[in-house]
Amino acid sequence: MSTTWAQTASEITRSALEHMGVIDGVQTPSAEDSAVCLRALNGLLKELPTLGYHWPEYRQDVAVTWVSGATVTLPTDFYGFPLMKRSDGKVLREITPAEWAGMDTATRAQTGVPEAFFRSGTTATLWPIPTVAPGLTLNYQSIINDATGAAQPDIPQSWHNALGYGVAAESWLKFSVPADVGQMIEIKWGVKLKQLLAHAAPDGPIEFSVAD
């Protein structure tokens, strides 16, 4: 029994062109049409976290190098949801922008064992400022890798079939696709996206209390 079925980026873009009626099942897509759909695929992959998909490629215990000073550079594939730890297992608290803006210069300049960090762009500022290497590691959600023609997209197998509809929904206005067909594609993609996002949500107990 095989369980390895998947689609490459080229196969997904071909599916999108078939859904739109640009090609049939035997025609070869043009390089220009494939390029349009590949751009749409990569754009869609990068937007998935904003649509509610927050669990792709969660990196764990990635070393963060400290040399000197207050700042460290975050990994190049960092997207969000950081959990930073010291070598002794202590989890550093993330300082909010409002809290950081309220700190005066003297407070920010304090030295010691870091207990928190403020994230800005590609760097994190440690507080207090360490005087010796704290041995930092980081857990985080990474950016989804760019899709390339012959490779499978950096996303679970269960998404591969649906992405053809997603790419078609992103691209149909760029082709001579009738509006009713384009709208049907968008509806199909919307249904599949809703199902996949619900499946991707982590399981866990729901707890609540009633106020007096």
Side-chain angles (χ1 to χ4, degrees):
M1 181 179 69
S2 176
T3 59
T4 60
W5 176 89
Q7 292 196 77
T8 65
S10 292
E11 290 170 330
I12 290 170
T13 58
R14 179 187 178 88
S15 292
L17 291 167
E18 292 174 350
H19 295 329
M20 292 185 288
V22 177
I23 61 172
D24 59 28
V26 298
Q27 290 176 302
T28 300
S30 70
E32 292 80 6
D33 290 347
S34 294
V36 169
C37 289
L38 183 60
R39 288 198 301 272
L41 174 59
N42 273 307
L44 183 60
L45 290 174
K46 305 304 181 184
E47 288 180 350
L48 280 180
T50 70
L51 298 177
Y53 185 55
H54 292 306
W55 298 274
E57 297 296 339
Y58 192 74
R59 312 293 190 200
Q60 299 189 52
D61 299 326
V62 176
V64 177
T65 302
W66 177 87
V67 178
S68 64
T71 60
V72 292
T73 301
L74 298 172
T76 56
D77 64 345
F78 175 85
Y79 174 79
F81 308 101
L83 189 151
M84 190 178 293
K85 294 182 292 185
R86 300 192 312 237
S87 58
D88 62 3
K90 171 70 175 179
V91 175
L92 276 62
R93 178 178 61 86
E94 183 170 7
I95 299 173
T96 66
E99 183 183 356
W100 184 252
M103 281 189 181
D104 57 34
T105 302
T107 301
R108 290 187 186 181
Q110 289 180 10
T111 60
V113 179
E115 299 176 356
F117 67 95
F118 174 68
R119 181 163 51 96
S120 177
T122 59
T123 63
T125 301
L126 305 176
W127 185 87
I129 301 170
T131 54
V132 296
L136 299 173
T137 58
L138 186 67
N139 296 359
Y140 61 96
Q141 180 189 337
S142 69
I143 298 171
I144 296 176
N145 293 331
D146 296 348
T148 58
Q152 298 171 16
D154 183 29
I155 197 166
Q157 179 190 49
S158 55
W159 283 79
H160 289 193
N161 181 58
L163 285 173
Y165 289 98
V167 172
E170 290 286 320
S171 305
W172 72 269
L173 288 173
K174 298 179 181 179
F175 296 91
S176 299
V177 176
D180 58 337
V181 175
Q183 291 163 3
M184 288 178 62
I185 290 171
E186 290 186 358
I187 291 171
K188 184 77 169 179
W189 165 238
V191 171
K192 288 182 173 290
L193 178 62
K194 182 178 180 180
Q195 293 171 335
L196 287 163
L197 289 177
H199 182 264
D203 294 329
I206 299 175
E207 298 179 1
F208 62 92
S209 61
V210 179
D212 293 335

